[in-house]
Amino acid sequence: MSHKQRSARAPDADPTPLPHGMLAEIARRRGILLCLDYDGTVSEITPDAANARPVEGIRTSIERIASASKQACVAIVSGRRIEEVKRLLGIDSGILYSGVHGLEFTNANGEASFVSDVAECAAELARVRQWLLGHVPDSRGFRIEDKVASVGLHYRQAEASEAAELRERFSEFVSANAPRLKLVQLKMIDEAMPRRANKARAVELLKARKPRAFATIYCGDDSTDEDAFAALGHDDVSVLIGAPRVTRAVYRLPDPAALGVELSQLAEAVTRRDGRA
């Protein structure tokens, strides 16, 4: 079964359904760095984001895969702060974490810290925070999220026309007053962050910490995962989680539950080879 990533894949191509057992096969042959987005990949998307728990069984599979360290390494690559993802996933050690779109990483001791870009952009991030505090109305369905390395405006519960007007003003302010930052439009949140923030950079730094022979498997569901999909090499595997859409991912699974099935099989394969099944 060939699994080579198609180079320079057009973003309008339809991804192929992930062949059942492919991840396990790759792990058996050469080892893997398994990179997983959190929201919409490990967990379902939910309006109650503060309690977005992993789908049934996936946490156990992640722990089992990570325990076979000669064959696999697991990394969570999220837009959330690392401390928040750890709380939701319930795994404090044994896996790698990258948070805030590649701006935060754990070290070998599991301690989290920000990359240098954050300090360099601190003054502009503070400027954006101050603007939001002064312009976002209370009790109108908006919420400010401060991740230290980025600042976001949630508008899921806001009235549509009011949200559109405030989002436009927010975009204009960032463009005119924070040249080191970019404004990224995500799922019901506009987030100001350092320009170098992206998940491709996160994967690059994570790969540098693992054996070169490992294949990288990246699974994610939203627009911030596209940079990572595009940056993968010929021997790596990109998997979109969710409904078909325009993407640079080569493969697709329909939902986090389907990913859970594949990870369960992967866990069985790597722990059997490691002698701990």
Side-chain angles (χ1 to χ4, degrees), residues 61-163:
S61 293
I62 288 172
E63 289 182 313
R64 292 183 68 199
I65 295 165
S67 72
S69 57
K70 292 181 181 179
Q71 286 301 116
C73 175
V74 182
I76 303 296
V77 183
S78 176
R80 294 180 186 255
R81 289 290 308 273
I82 288 173
E83 62 184 6
E84 185 177 22
V85 182
K86 282 187 174 184
R87 175 183 65 81
L88 291 169
L89 183 58
I91 302 176
D92 191 58
S93 61
I95 68 174
L96 302 174
Y97 285 92
S98 173
V100 199
H101 312 287
L103 295 172
E104 186 182 26
F105 291 86
T106 50
N107 61 20
N109 297 319
E111 300 164 334
S113 62
F114 292 114
V115 298
S116 60
D117 304 53
V118 177
E120 294 167 3
C121 298
E124 292 183 13
L125 286 165
R127 202 173 300 148
V128 169
R129 268 186 215 101
Q130 198 61 36
W131 188 90
L132 286 171
L133 288 170
H135 291 82
V136 176
D138 294 329
S139 304
R140 303 284 294 180
F142 296 101
R143 179 171 67 85
I144 301 169
E145 183 177 10
D146 188 349
K147 302 178 185 176
V148 181
S150 70
V151 192
L153 172 65
H154 289 266
Y155 56 90
R156 184 182 299 275
Q157 306 298 329
E159 193 274 325
S161 61
E162 187 175 10

Side-chain angles (χ1 to χ4, degrees), residues 3-84:
H3 68 269
K4 287 186 179 297
Q5 179 88 6
R6 281 166 266 170
S7 180
R9 178 177 171 79
D12 59 349
D14 291 329
T16 302
L18 181 73
H20 186 57
M22 174 187 272
L23 305 188
E25 179 203 350
I26 297 169
R28 279 192 294 263
R29 286 197 282 109
R30 57 175 300 197
I32 58 168
L33 169 62
L34 176 65
C35 297
L36 304 170
D37 182 24
Y38 187 80
D39 294 275
T41 299
V42 171
S43 79
E44 297 284 1
I45 295 293
T46 171
D48 185 11
N51 291 298
R53 301 295 177 180
V55 297
E56 184 176 357
I58 207 166
R59 176 180 176 273
T60 298
S61 293
I62 288 172
E63 289 182 313
R64 292 183 68 199
I65 295 165
S67 72
S69 57
K70 292 181 181 179
Q71 286 301 116
C73 175
V74 182
I76 303 296
V77 183
S78 176
R80 294 180 186 255
R81 289 290 308 273
I82 288 173
E83 62 184 6
E84 185 177 22

Side-chain angles (χ1 to χ4, degrees), residues 77-268:
V77 183
S78 176
R80 294 180 186 255
R81 289 290 308 273
I82 288 173
E83 62 184 6
E84 185 177 22
V85 182
K86 282 187 174 184
R87 175 183 65 81
L88 291 169
L89 183 58
I91 302 176
D92 191 58
S93 61
I95 68 174
L96 302 174
Y97 285 92
S98 173
V100 199
H101 312 287
L103 295 172
E104 186 182 26
F105 291 86
T106 50
N107 61 20
N109 297 319
E111 300 164 334
S113 62
F114 292 114
V115 298
S116 60
D117 304 53
V118 177
E120 294 167 3
C121 298
E124 292 183 13
L125 286 165
R127 202 173 300 148
V128 169
R129 268 186 215 101
Q130 198 61 36
W131 188 90
L132 286 171
L133 288 170
H135 291 82
V136 176
D138 294 329
S139 304
R140 303 284 294 180
F142 296 101
R143 179 171 67 85
I144 301 169
E145 183 177 10
D146 188 349
K147 302 178 185 176
V148 181
S150 70
V151 192
L153 172 65
H154 289 266
Y155 56 90
R156 184 182 299 275
Q157 306 298 329
E159 193 274 325
S161 61
E162 187 175 10
E165 179 184 358
L166 183 57
R167 292 177 66 207
E168 182 176 0
R169 291 167 61 202
F170 184 29
S171 177
E172 290 172 351
F173 178 84
V174 172
S175 179
N177 296 278
R180 290 175 179 264
L181 305 183
K182 61 183 177 181
L183 191 67
V184 180
Q185 296 179 344
L186 303 171
K187 293 177 180 176
M188 309 305 286
I189 174 176
D190 290 350
E191 193 168 343
M193 64 186 72
R195 288 192 172 276
R196 291 185 65 198
N198 68 72
K199 290 184 176 179
R201 182 186 183 195
V203 172
E204 178 184 351
L205 293 173
L206 290 166
K207 287 176 72 170
R209 298 168 61 175
K210 306 315 297 177
R212 291 175 61 87
F214 274 23
T216 299
I217 296 167
Y218 190 99
C219 304
D221 74 301
D222 69 23
S223 60
T224 64
D225 299 305
E226 292 297 324
D227 290 331
F229 292 153
L232 295 181
H234 290 286
D235 293 320
D236 300 326
V237 175
S238 53
V239 186
L240 173 70
I241 308 300
R245 63 166 173 80
V246 174
T247 180
R248 289 187 179 275
V250 173
Y251 298 102
R252 185 182 73 86
L253 287 168
D255 51 37
L259 176 63
V261 171
E262 293 299 321
L263 294 190
S264 178
Q265 185 176 34
L266 173 58
E268 192 67 26

